[in-house]
Amino acid sequence: MGAVSGTAEVLRWEIPSLFRWLGVIDAALQEVGQELAWEREELNEVSVAVIEAVSNAIEHGNRFEPARSVQVELRASGRHLRFRVSDEGPGFASDRLDQPTPSPESPEFMMSRGRGLFIMRDIMDAIRIQREAGRFVVELDKELKAPVGTGH
Amino acid sequence: MGAVSGTAEVLRWEIPSLFRWLGVIDAALQEVGQELAWEREELNEVSVAVIEAVSNAIEHGNRFEPARSVQVELRASGRHLRFRVSDEGPGFASDRLDQPTPSPESPEFMMSRGRGLFIMRDIMDAIRIQREAGRFVVELDKELKAPVGTGH
Amino acid sequence: MNIKVREEEQVVIFDISGRIMGGPDSETFHNLVKENIAHGKKQILINLGKVNWINSTGLGILIAGYTSVKDADGQFKLVNISDRIESILMVTKLSGIFESFDSEAEAVASFGS
Amino acid sequence: MNIKVREEEQVVIFDISGRIMGGPDSETFHNLVKENIAHGKKQILINLGKVNWINSTGLGILIAGYTSVKDADGQFKLVNISDRIESILMVTKLSGIFESFDSEAEAVASFGS
Ligand SMILES: Nc1ncnc2c1ncn2[C@@H]1O[C@H](COP(=O)(O)OP(=O)(O)O)[C@@H](O)[C@H]1O
Ligand SMILES: Nc1ncnc2c1ncn2[C@@H]1O[C@H](COP(=O)(O)OP(=O)(O)O)[C@@H](O)[C@H]1O
């Protein structure tokens, strides 16, 4: 059965703050995408964006402290996806999200770091940051283009 | 790096109560097992036991109500694993865990249901049930036989 | 769970894919078994090559099928068992009940004997 | 990330496997690139066939390698890109920077040209 319209399916994951656990989030995402019959290219893109958010939460948020957790929540209602990725760190100022993505012609284009937020913003429809219950939360919305299949 | 002895790595998952989400738990478990370099046969067995616990939580605990969640927690400290699988249902009486596993010679051996708890008990070292914060929790312990490798 | 049915030298082969985990699959599977028995086709081979995993409810489906076929004096066997499925068959000691094979050719040849 | 290095007709091939996600991998990779440049080996092909995925920190590793090789008047190319890696290269527009190939033979033949 596809997602019942109106109600959201909610899934959550929590990992220690080490890059080694990124694969667990990724494997789960691939499985969710298959189960909900997301189109392959959209699944690829969405997972790239989420992995960026989780990578940042691990590195910048929790500074690789394994005792600090990164949490990922997905709410899927039909074609609408909302991811919430949270960490225990200080977060960043929201004006960082307003900077334009460097164009291939600009000198910064070949920078080796600093691409994560641009990737998330370019793939997802909306990105918001907020503080909630002592955690820093990055919220990512995406409306899937392709009609969602039956999943079975 | 292997798990630092003394500290546990904690991972958590939460799914709606539908069998379709079993695959997400399974995919994550396979990835954890690979990352922590569990021996293949032990990974197979442990995942069989955990899938049984989650199947029961979905079916008997939450009665396939998608709005009710099943939570899985894994604490891995070196070779010691502790899984906690919880649901929002009434649970069952603990004497159920004392019944002996039917032998291949007994007439009940070919029963088509009623194998889950036996499987969990036969695979894991210990199984405990408890009520906690309004949830019914099945706790499964396993000491891996094989020395845990480096995982990288 | 998906099931495709074909025949090979009097043996009915069920190619199963996906996960075997009970629910509505149970009835689908059992109806297929009963239909075949009703048509006198009692040599049934279950190809598990494309099954990722199975839980105990799914095992129950196989057991019910086995029992029905056995009761009709037929044979019910398994082929292409992954190491994960092997694990659950070992733990439950059901590996002593289900005759199983590594290759389809071997399995098909074994029927009637 | 694991790297194995081999040579094919003057082209140094890095067979990478696992995940490229920054951290200590970054230095390992960059040292290998610099070593090869120092030995006059400036035709470098990165085989990503066994890479499951890459995050932006991992991309940064490839970019740093590309830049070093380019600065030494060499060539740095990619081969065997999965659709997941293609996704991240497209989104970042880096697919316009990295020359990439579907087969190793094609890729190797392209060097020097
Ligand atoms: N979860 C987070 N917590 C704190 N700071 C963050 C977080 N995510 C991003 N940042 C800040 O935003 C900057 C840009 O992030 P990003 O675009 O992903 O590039 P990079 O990770 O390569 O620096 C980071 O360097 C960091 O300062
Ligand atoms: N999480 C649970 N909540 C409530 N009851 C449960 C739970 N797990 C198991 N049970 C009870 O224990 C019984 C035996 O479970 P099990 O051995 O897994 O076999 P089966 O699921 O095939 O009945 C179930 O039928 C149910 O009554």
Side-chain angles (χ1 to χ4, degrees), chain A residues 19-41:
Chain A
F19 276 166
R20 70 186 305 187
W21 299 118
L22 280 172
V24 173
I25 301 294
D26 184 63
L29 272 180
Q30 298 305 312
E31 191 67 27
V32 170
Q34 259 181 294
E35 187 57 43
L36 294 180
W38 299 347
E39 195 256 323
R40 164 65 40 197
E41 199 178 314

Side-chain angles (χ1 to χ4, degrees), chain A residues 30 38-48 123 142 144-146, chain D residues 83-84 86-88 90-91:
Chain A
Q30 298 305 312
W38 299 347
E39 195 256 323
R40 164 65 40 197
E41 199 178 314
E42 293 200 302
L43 170 55
N44 285 342
E45 290 189 356
V46 164
S47 55
V48 162
I123 289 177
K142 176 84 176 179
L144 297 174
K145 282 181 298 257
Chain D
D83 61 345
R84 294 196 60 189
E86 183 69 23
S87 275
I88 194 166
M90 292 295 285
V91 172

